[in-house]
Structure formats: C-alpha cells, structure tokens
Amino acid sequence: MSCRDASIEEADAEVLRLISAKVDSLLMLSETDAELRNYALKFKLEQAVDQTAFQAKREEGEEMLHLQRVLRRMADLALHVAPHILRRTRRHRSSRCPVGNDDAAAAAAGSTPAEGTASDSIPRNSSVEDVCDGSEAWLETGAHLSHSSVELLCLILVCHPRLVKALQMYLLECDVLAYVADALSIPCEHEIAFFQEGYRTEHVRLMANLTLDNREACSAIVGTPALLSAILTSTRVDEENPGMVEWAEFCIRNLCCCTSEAREKIRRMLPVSISGESRELLAGRADCQLTQEGKLVLTQPCTTKTK
C-alpha cells in the first residue's frame, strides 16, 4: 500500500500530541545555544512554507505525504540537536579535566542534571549569562535537549503504522546509527555528569524501534561490533537506566528474527566471566564456574568442615 492509500486517521493521536510537545520544547530550549537557535529558525521557516503550500494546494491523499514530510523534518531537527549536545559536552569535559581523569570530570561537571526534568516543562528562564558553559542552567538545558531529541526520534517511528518502514529507512539514510554508536561510547562518568537518567535507555529504545521488522537496520547493527556489544551489555540492570533491559531484549529479539547472522554471532559468543552480582546471588546456594567451552557449571556448595 502506498502512502497516498493510507489514512491520516490511522495515526496515533496521543503519540502525535507527545511529538508536538517534544518539538515545542526543543525549539524553545534551542534559543539558549547560538548554533541551535539558527537551526530552529530554519526549521520554523520550512514548516511555515510547507504548511502554506499544503493548505493552498490540498488534494486527496496529500495529507499522508504532508505528514511524512513533517515527520522527516522533525527527525532532522532531533538529529541536529542530539549530536550537537554530545559534542558540546565532550568539548567541555576535555577542557575542564585531563584525559582519563573520569572522577575529576564528574566532580567538575557537578551533580546529575536529570533530577526533576523528566517532563517537557522548561527548567527555568535563564539569561545568556546564566547559560554559559558549565553553569547549572547550561548542564540542565543540554541534558533536556538531548533526552527530548532521542525521545522524539522514538516517537516518530511509532506514530503511524503505515509510515514505520519509510521513516526507519529515512533515519538509516541520515546515519542515525553512527550517532547512536557515538552516544553509547561515552563512559559512565560522562553520562552521569551531563545527561538525564535514562540516557542509555532511550538510545537502546531507538535501536529497538529501528530494528522492528527491518532487515536493513538489523544487518547494519549486527555488522557494527560497537552497537551489538552495546545492546548485549544493556541486558544488565542499571539503576541509572530503568527499562533498558526490556528494550535491549526487544532489540535482540528483532535482530534474531530478521537475520540469521545475528543468531549465529550470538550463538558463537562465549561468556567472559561470572559477574560479582551472580556470585553474590548464588553464595551459599551453589558454586559456579565456567568451563573452557564457556559453559556454566553449578555444583552443590562444599559444606564439609575440616577439623
């Protein structure tokens, strides 16, 4: 079925409402950054021109094409904002602290800006001076921009069932996976110091939505060791990223359903070690060890005491 044959009524109204709120938040917060301010202005102008042209020459079936154009433009906005914030925090972190000094980086950046900013409300009104590099407002605004951008990408992919594949392919063409790989490569200290709670959760969620019934996306992720490793390691519970395990498992399910390469790669993997959490969980109940073949062996704990 072509885009023209689909109905705009099939769109999820609640998701569209959330998308609108995210875009409004991004545009408002972008006023605090010179580069983002210019891009936000460009976005508004393109939206206005497109809307005017659509209203002037509306034809049957044009609603879906118009919606697709608008969603693509919103995706472009998110893919401009999120990488910009990541680069900005990297520059600030490297300028404040020596390379490799993660503890100092976390201390210099201050406390986590995520608390209390999960909603789309603007954290606070700030003057240009208030939003200087490294200030509390700068950290808070950047964290909110990053989180909202990735959330927006996730929502765009699920707003209309007839547009899922087209929007997935558009994001792949925009090299979204390169950004995700870069975003997930930062150390934990960087994540905690500059971004909101759920930073990794949202990026794994984005990959899960991208890989749903999409062989191209699955092949691209399986062919990128950094991304595949990030998904597999995301199956461990992380207090800073609630819900990440479930999205990672959903993504792995998508990968294994779409490509035999993913199934083979995962099947050939060998465990490296038994985590400390697992040993603590089994303490007193069973002794565990790995064989040379990578198999986990559980035995009854030795309770015999030597006199």
Side-chain angles (χ1 to χ4, degrees), residues 190-301:
H190 185 172
E191 175 190 343
I192 292 174
F194 291 96
F195 297 102
Q196 286 189 13
E197 181 184 83
Y199 172 81
R200 289 182 182 272
T201 298
E202 288 304 313
H203 286 84
V204 175
R205 174 189 174 193
L206 176 57
M207 285 195 287
N209 287 344
L210 278 170
T211 54
L212 180 62
D213 298 326
N214 191 308
R215 185 178 298 274
E216 292 85 351
C218 290
S219 296
I221 288 176
V222 172
T224 308
L227 286 176
L228 185 58
S229 175
I231 293 169
L232 294 175
T233 55
S234 295
T235 55
R236 292 186 62 183
V237 174
D238 181 353
E239 293 181 356
E240 295 293 332
N241 289 282
M244 180 175 68
V245 172
E246 290 76 14
W247 283 114
E249 291 174 348
F250 181 42
C251 189
I252 293 170
R253 172 260 183 202
N254 292 341
L255 294 175
C256 291
C257 284
C258 285
T259 64
S260 58
E261 184 183 0
R263 296 192 293 271
E264 288 302 316
K265 277 195 173 185
I266 294 175
R267 185 181 293 116
R268 290 198 301 266
M269 287 182 173
L270 296 177
V272 177
S273 63
I274 300 172
S275 67
E277 294 93 330
S278 297
R279 291 188 182 278
E280 289 179 10
L281 184 64
L282 295 171
R285 302 177 183 178
D287 293 330
C288 54
Q289 59 183 356
L290 291 175
T291 66
Q292 292 182 346
E293 294 77 22
K295 293 183 178 180
L296 177 65
V297 177
L298 297 177
T299 58
Q300 290 293 328

Side-chain angles (χ1 to χ4, degrees):
M1 179 181 288
S2 68
C3 186
R4 285 178 178 272
D5 297 328
S7 170
I8 195 74
E9 300 298 328
E10 295 180 60
D12 189 317
E14 177 61 19
V15 173
L16 290 178
R17 185 191 67 78
L18 292 173
I19 288 175
S20 179
K22 295 294 177 188
V23 171
D24 289 345
S25 178
L26 287 178
L27 293 176
M28 194 174 297
L29 287 172
S30 292
E31 293 297 319
T32 63
D33 184 287
E35 180 180 332
L36 295 183
R37 188 185 307 121
N38 292 335
Y39 195 88
L41 177 60
K42 174 177 176 289
F43 174 87
K44 292 175 184 177
L45 290 174
E46 290 178 350
Q47 282 285 87
V49 170
D50 190 27
Q51 181 66 20
T52 302
F54 171 66
Q55 294 292 349
K57 298 181 179 180
R58 178 178 295 191
E59 298 178 4
E60 185 177 355
E62 284 292 319
E63 292 87 354
M64 284 297 297
L65 294 174
H66 176 65
L67 175 62
Q68 186 172 358
R69 287 196 303 271
V70 170
L71 291 173
R72 285 186 173 190
R73 193 174 298 115
M74 291 176 174
D76 290 340
L77 174 66
L79 285 173
H80 186 86
V81 173
H84 174 76
I85 297 299
L86 183 60
R87 291 192 299 269
R88 195 175 79 170
T89 59
R90 273 207 177 104
R91 287 195 301 267
H92 178 71
R93 188 167 181 266
S94 61
S95 66
R96 292 290 298 274
C97 304
V99 176
N101 192 347
D102 291 333
D103 292 336
S111 59
T112 306
E115 298 178 3
T117 60
S119 69
D120 281 322
S121 59
I122 305 306
R124 65 186 177 95
N125 293 325
S126 304
S127 66
V128 174
E129 290 77 11
D130 289 333
V131 196
C132 62
D133 285 7
S135 68
E136 181 181 349
W138 184 85
L139 291 169
E140 192 172 318
T141 302
H144 194 84
L145 279 166
S146 173
H147 200 269
S148 294
S149 297
V150 183
E151 274 191 309
L152 176 58
L153 292 173
C154 294
L155 291 169
I156 285 172
L157 289 173
V158 298
C159 71
H160 197 294
R162 303 291 186 182
L163 295 179
V164 174
K165 185 62 180 289
L167 292 170
Q168 285 174 331
M169 298 309 297
Y170 181 73
L171 291 184
L172 290 177
E173 291 170 8
C174 293
D175 216 7
V176 65
L177 291 179
Y179 159 69
V180 173
D182 193 26
L184 293 178
S185 69
I186 64 174
C188 181
E189 293 79 7
H190 185 172
E191 175 190 343
I192 292 174
F194 291 96
F195 297 102
Q196 286 189 13
E197 181 184 83
Y199 172 81
R200 289 182 182 272
T201 298
E202 288 304 313
H203 286 84
V204 175
R205 174 189 174 193
L206 176 57
M207 285 195 287
N209 287 344
L210 278 170
T211 54
L212 180 62
D213 298 326
N214 191 308
R215 185 178 298 274
E216 292 85 351
C218 290
S219 296
I221 288 176
V222 172
T224 308
L227 286 176
L228 185 58
S229 175
I231 293 169
L232 294 175
T233 55
S234 295
T235 55
R236 292 186 62 183
V237 174
D238 181 353
E239 293 181 356
E240 295 293 332
N241 289 282
M244 180 175 68
V245 172
E246 290 76 14
W247 283 114
E249 291 174 348
F250 181 42
C251 189
I252 293 170
R253 172 260 183 202
N254 292 341
L255 294 175
C256 291
C257 284
C258 285
T259 64
S260 58
E261 184 183 0
R263 296 192 293 271
E264 288 302 316
K265 277 195 173 185
I266 294 175
R267 185 181 293 116
R268 290 198 301 266
M269 287 182 173
L270 296 177
V272 177
S273 63
I274 300 172
S275 67
E277 294 93 330
S278 297
R279 291 188 182 278
E280 289 179 10
L281 184 64
L282 295 171
R285 302 177 183 178
D287 293 330
C288 54
Q289 59 183 356
L290 291 175
T291 66
Q292 292 182 346
E293 294 77 22
K295 293 183 178 180
L296 177 65
V297 177
L298 297 177
T299 58
Q300 290 293 328
C302 181
T303 57
T304 304
K305 295 184 179 180
T306 304
K307 294 184 179 180

